[in-house]
Amino acid sequence: MTLNSLPIFLVLISGIFCQYDYGPADDYGYDPFGPSTAVCAPECNCPLSYPTAMYCDNLKLKTIPIVPSGIKYLYLRNNMIEAIEENTFDNVTDLQWLILDHNHLENSKIKGRVFSKLKNLKKLHINYNNLTEAVGPLP
C-alpha cells in the first residue's frame, strides 16, 4: 500500500468502528442534554418529546424541586432526598407516576397525607430508602 492510498483506506475502515452511536439517549429513552420545555424545574429535564414528564434522576438533590402543574410523570431516582413536605405535590394534581427509588427517605420525614392527595397516582416506586414501614395513606 502506498502513502497516497492510506487516507482512503482509513476512511473505509472508520465506518467499521463508528457504526453505532450509543449516547445518553439510549440509556433513558430521551436525551438528557437536549432542549427542555419551558415549564420545568431548572435543575431537571422535561424533554420536548415528553412534555408531561420531569426527569430529576442522579442530581444529588436533597429536597424535591418545585413541580410545575401539568407534570404527570416525576422521576427522582438516585438522589439524597430525605423528606417530603405535606404541600410538595399540591400543584400537581394530575401526577400519575412518582418514582423515588434510591433516596434517603424516612417514614418520620414524610409529612401528613402527602400521597393521599394524589388522586390520579397509578405508580409509586419508593424502594431502597430508609423506610421501616409502608407509606400511606395512598389514594
Side-chain angles (χ1 to χ4, degrees):
M1 183 180 331
T2 65
L3 286 178
N4 291 339
S5 60
L6 184 61
I8 295 170
F9 177 72
L10 292 175
V11 168
L12 289 175
I13 66 166
S14 68
I16 295 170
F17 299 112
C18 300
Q19 196 168 23
Y20 298 103
D21 181 22
Y22 292 110
D26 294 309
D27 294 336
Y28 297 104
Y30 73 96
D31 184 359
F33 306 108
S36 189
T37 62
V39 182
C40 193
E43 60 268 57
C44 300
N45 189 305
C46 302
L48 295 173
S49 56
Y50 298 104
T52 59
M54 190 162 100
Y55 294 89
C56 308
D57 296 332
N58 304 308
L59 297 175
K60 298 181 183 174
L61 299 174
K62 292 193 176 193
T63 60
I64 295 175
I66 295 173
V67 184
S69 62
I71 295 297
K72 293 182 180 180
Y73 310 98
L74 180 57
Y75 298 85
L76 292 157
R77 294 174 290 205
N78 301 312
N79 283 294
M80 299 184 301
I81 298 169
E82 297 176 349
I84 303 175
E85 298 301 322
E86 191 165 2
N87 63 350
T88 300
F89 302 116
D90 286 354
N91 197 35
V92 275
T93 55
D94 293 336
L95 196 63
Q96 294 179 17
W97 290 14
L98 178 57
I99 314 299
L100 287 161
D101 293 333
H102 296 279
N103 278 287
H104 301 167
L105 291 169
E106 297 178 15
N107 291 90
S108 63
K109 294 182 181 179
I110 299 175
K111 303 296 183 193
R113 303 171 56 86
V114 68
F115 298 122
S116 66
K117 299 174 186 177
L118 301 171
K119 301 298 181 197
N120 294 314
L121 192 65
K122 295 176 182 168
K123 291 188 181 200
L124 173 63
H125 292 234
I126 198 164
N127 298 307
Y128 306 103
N129 281 283
N130 299 325
L131 302 172
T132 56
E133 57 189 45
V135 297
L138 298 173

